[in-house]
Amino acid sequence: MTPQSVYIHIPFCTNKCYYCDFNSFVTNNPQLIWDYLDALDKEMELTFREQPVQEVKTIFVGGGTPTFLDHAQMRAFLQMVQNHLGKHWAADIEFSMEANPGTTDSEKLRIMHELGVNRLSFGVQSFDNALLKRLGRIHDRDDVYRSIENAKAAGFANISIDLMFGLPDQTMEIFRQTLDKAFELGTKHFSAYSLKVEENTLFHTLYQKDQLPLPSEEAELAMYMVLIEEMERRGYQQYEISNFAKPGFESKHNKTYWLNREYYGLGAGAHGYVCGERHVNAGPLAIYLQKCKEGLPRVEQFAVPQEDAMEEQMILGLRLREGVDLAQFASRFGVSAHEVFGTIIKEEVAKGMLEEQNGCLKLTERGLPLGNEVFARFLR
């Protein structure tokens, strides 16, 4: 089977958030966006000709800020997706798009819903206006309320919100207030991440100058534990380290990654995993646009050795609260996880970090906040 999931990257943004190291670009040149959509169209045509689609169960449009596209660009983009993939859509397809509360309006949301998008992921991050400004976000709390209201009016029933913790000068009280306001919206899914200070960001520059007052590790861990406690209390099940959902509203697309399944990756800087090979597209726009004129815009492509694929299966799968399905591991690789990683598994079980339950190997409650330390053990 060819992949049943598709990731598409729209790299444009209104501005660059101070913590962001994603492949994104600020532009006020509409022609550049149209040129990008033309290049993306060519990449889709060539990709799906070389590896024909059989069935598409999930599509995820990320960025950047996909909702940066204006009404005409959004319509053209989604019609392009329909042209290439529409006849292959599964009946219960999950079609997600990332959205910024400052870049949506009723008409744009209507176009998106009309042309197949059925799940929205809003990058809210916080409900504290001072903190949003500190992060370089263009929206405020009122924009969030307006955007969610407009999305529901446009017909969206599956809405997710991104939140962040461990932010500069963020206290537990501020974080609890954000959670309370988030729950009031009644959305079906939450993703919540701690701040990571990445190179080539304004926050990294400030951090190097000791001008980024971050909470202590203990305070950040306390926020994470409060997050888990409050989510469960409100009926949101933690199904992955950073993701919580009402039953039946887990992100099918993101589970593709955590189950280490293959997916098409399209757009500037996108990664894909097709027919046992991973690839990376050119990130800089000028290079991506030029390469699309010549063929596929790839700058790297390589087969994944079985040893690497087994490591990935363990590290990604352990992010899920259900853990790694040991029977599926053995079926996929022809060898059991215990044969390959037996010593590591025994040691981590003895330390109380891992446990085996219902045929799955999973993080314990104790291991959950220390997941990265456990994952590192499986890299050989």
Side-chain angles (χ1 to χ4, degrees):
M1 286 286 290
T2 52
Q4 297 179 326
S5 293
V6 182
Y7 174 81
I8 307 171
H9 193 74
I10 302 293
F12 304 106
C13 278
T14 309
N15 71 306
K16 192 82 170 175
C17 297
Y18 303 154
Y19 56 85
C20 176
D21 73 333
F22 293 152
N23 192 50
S24 60
F25 309 94
V26 177
T27 184
N28 56 6
N29 178 4
Q31 188 55 51
L32 179 61
I33 298 171
W34 286 111
D35 290 346
Y36 181 78
L37 294 179
D38 285 342
L40 191 57
D41 192 24
K42 291 186 177 70
E43 185 191 358
M44 286 188 187
E45 182 182 349
L46 194 51
T47 297
F48 300 137
R49 189 192 310 159
E50 288 194 1
Q51 281 113 11
V53 180
Q54 291 169 279
E55 184 180 37
V56 179
K57 292 186 174 179
T58 74
I59 300 172
F60 193 101
V61 184
T65 306
T67 48
F68 179 79
L69 301 182
D70 66 24
H71 295 171
Q73 292 159 352
M74 181 65 76
R75 184 175 289 280
F77 166 65
L78 291 174
Q79 285 177 334
M80 177 204 311
V81 175
Q82 290 262 13
N83 292 341
H84 287 288
L85 298 172
K87 63 185 177 184
H88 303 291
W89 285 13
D92 61 345
I93 188 169
E94 177 192 88
F95 190 165
S96 303
M97 185 178 287
E98 290 182 342
N100 189 317
T103 60
T104 56
D105 58 43
S106 295
E107 176 62 12
K108 191 180 294 185
L109 289 162
R110 188 191 65 76
I111 291 168
M112 290 159 58
H113 191 263
E114 173 195 318
L115 290 172
V117 180
N118 57 19
R119 182 178 183 273
L120 293 176
S121 178
F122 279 104
V124 172
Q125 318 313 356
S126 176
F127 283 81
D128 184 273
N129 284 340
L131 201 47
L132 287 169
K133 198 169 184 180
R134 187 81 180 266
L135 295 173
R137 303 294 292 177
I138 65 164
H139 71 270
D140 62 20
R141 185 169 54 228
D142 289 342
D143 290 323
V144 176
Y145 295 137
R146 193 178 308 113
S147 296
I148 299 292
E149 187 178 313
N150 288 341
K152 289 179 178 177
F156 288 97
N158 192 352
I159 299 174
S160 177
I161 287 178
D162 284 359
L163 299 174
M164 296 178 73
F165 58 94
L167 300 173
D169 287 327
Q170 186 183 36
T171 63
M172 180 65 83
E173 183 184 0
I174 291 172
F175 184 56
R176 280 188 179 275
Q177 288 171 354
T178 277
L179 288 178
D180 288 342
K181 288 181 170 62
F183 290 133
E184 288 172 7
L185 293 170
T187 55
K188 306 296 187 185
H189 185 283
F190 288 98
S191 298
Y193 303 96
S194 62
L195 173 70
K196 296 288 182 287
V197 179
E198 305 285 2
E199 291 187 16
N200 304 314
T201 64
L202 175 59
F203 270 11
H204 186 262
T205 303
L206 295 173
Y207 183 76
Q208 295 287 81
K209 295 178 178 178
D210 201 24
Q211 295 175 2
L212 195 68
L214 298 176
S216 66
E217 285 186 16
E218 292 76 17
E220 184 180 306
L221 176 59
M223 288 182 195
Y224 180 58
M225 301 315 289
V226 163
L227 170 74
I228 294 172
E229 180 184 310
E230 288 299 306
M231 286 288 173
E232 290 179 351
R233 193 166 70 84
R234 307 281 187 138
Y236 294 88
Q237 296 176 355
Q238 183 181 26
Y239 69 98
E240 191 268 348
I241 284 180
S242 301
N243 285 269
F244 306 79
K246 291 287 188 179
F249 286 91
E250 298 85 357
S251 170
K252 295 177 186 175
H253 184 86
N254 286 337
K255 284 190 80 170
T256 296
Y257 304 142
W258 299 319
L259 293 169
N260 200 26
R261 291 175 179 159
E262 297 190 347
Y263 59 95
Y264 296 99
L266 303 154
H271 294 226
Y273 187 17
V274 183
C275 298
E277 293 189 341
R278 291 194 182 273
H279 75 260
V280 182
N281 279 356
L285 277 180
I287 299 174
Y288 174 81
L289 295 174
Q290 182 58 42
K291 280 188 165 291
C292 282
K293 291 177 182 174
E294 302 162 357
L296 287 171
R298 296 177 182 173
V299 291
E300 197 176 350
Q301 186 163 342
F302 54 92
V304 180
Q306 172 149 313
E307 183 175 300
D308 291 357
M310 289 190 292
E311 290 176 2
E312 291 168 358
Q313 190 84 6
M314 298 302 293
I315 292 167
L316 293 168
L318 285 172
R319 291 190 63 88
L320 291 166
R321 294 301 288 127
E322 65 196 36
V324 176
D325 186 314
L326 297 174
Q328 285 183 5
F329 184 100
S331 174
R332 179 170 183 173
F333 299 111
V335 62
S336 77
H338 284 284
E339 288 176 79
V340 183
F341 302 108
T343 302
I344 297 165
I345 292 171
K346 281 179 187 172
E347 289 174 358
E348 294 303 313
V349 168
K351 283 155 59 178
M353 297 297 205
L354 292 177
E355 62 183 344
E356 204 168 316
Q357 200 175 72
N358 301 323
C360 293
L361 185 71
K362 53 183 277 193
L363 289 172
T364 61
E365 295 292 332
R366 181 184 171 197
L368 191 57
L370 301 169
N372 286 337
E373 294 178 21
V374 180
F375 305 154
R377 294 294 318 279
F378 290 92
L379 286 171
R380 296 179 300 172

